[in-house]
Amino acid sequence: MPKCPFCDHRNPASAELCGKCGGPLPTAPQTNGRSLEEQLLWLLDRDEKPDAISLYRQQTGAGQQDASDALDAFERGEPLPPLPEVEAGLEEEILTLLQGGKKIQAVRVYREQTGSDLKDALRAIDALAAKHGIAAKGAGCAGAVLMILTTVWIAARFLVQV
Ligand SMILES: [Zn+2]
């Protein structure tokens, strides 16, 4: 039951366009580059640029400024900047690190493997996190700190009892 990303109308599973507003529906579970472009085109066509920017950011992990620049160019008829390609093995390694809240390490591994600069690496990591629905910012660090504190606390208690 695909929910329309534009008006929240619930559509039959076979629908490719929203029955209410005519917007393109996400077809496959995984949005590929082409359908992102179609959705962006549709939004820009309706003067919904802020929505187009949020959609673009959500799908690519780009920052506000980068998204805005990319869409300006897109509106002028230029292609969207290619999404950073990550090979499967590296992607898996990075996902594992991200899920463990180790974003800095993920960026380092990515840079070592691809030779890209810090900005590109961060962008690629954010895109990967967005693609897999991982909140790469904040939560992971807090979790790690909590875990360390818990470990220390348990160790301290153990020492006191002995
Ligand atoms: Zn709709």
Side-chain angles (χ1 to χ4, degrees):
M1 180 93 37
K3 200 168 88 167
C4 174
F6 309 109
C7 73
D8 282 349
H9 180 67
R10 287 181 181 279
N11 291 278
S14 60
E16 287 177 16
L17 296 176
C18 174
K20 196 175 166 195
C21 72
L25 297 172
T27 43
Q30 183 182 355
T31 314
N32 62 27
R34 189 156 155 261
S35 69
L36 172 62
E37 287 187 9
E38 282 168 0
Q39 292 183 51
L40 291 175
L41 266 180
W42 188 80
L43 283 170
L44 291 172
D45 204 40
R46 289 170 51 119
D47 268 342
E48 304 279 6
K49 196 167 181 188
D51 283 351
I53 291 178
S54 338
L55 177 69
Y56 182 82
R57 293 188 60 185
Q58 193 190 331
Q59 294 288 326
T60 63
Q64 178 74 25
Q65 190 57 47
D66 285 347
S68 175
D69 290 349
L71 287 174
D72 283 346
F74 189 57
E75 279 186 302
R76 290 193 301 266
E78 291 167 32
L80 289 174
L83 289 180
E85 288 286 333
V86 182
E87 59 176 280
L90 178 58
E91 177 165 340
E92 212 167 288
E93 192 177 350
I94 284 171
L95 281 179
T96 309
L97 288 170
L98 284 179
Q99 275 154 355
K102 296 173 182 161
K103 186 177 176 184
I104 309 286
Q105 261 162 280
V107 171
R108 203 176 62 208
V109 168
Y110 181 87
R111 293 189 63 189
E112 277 169 8
Q113 300 274 330
T114 63
S116 61
D117 65 25
L118 182 61
K119 190 165 167 267
D120 283 350
L122 273 172
R123 181 164 171 251
I125 301 290
D126 283 344
L128 265 182
K131 183 170 145 196
H132 294 272
I134 303 168
K137 287 160 196 152
C141 290
V145 169
L146 194 67
M147 206 172 82
I148 292 167
L149 284 179
T150 310
T151 311
V152 169
W153 184 75
I154 291 170
R157 270 196 72 184
F158 182 74
L159 284 175
V160 169
Q161 277 174 5
V162 171

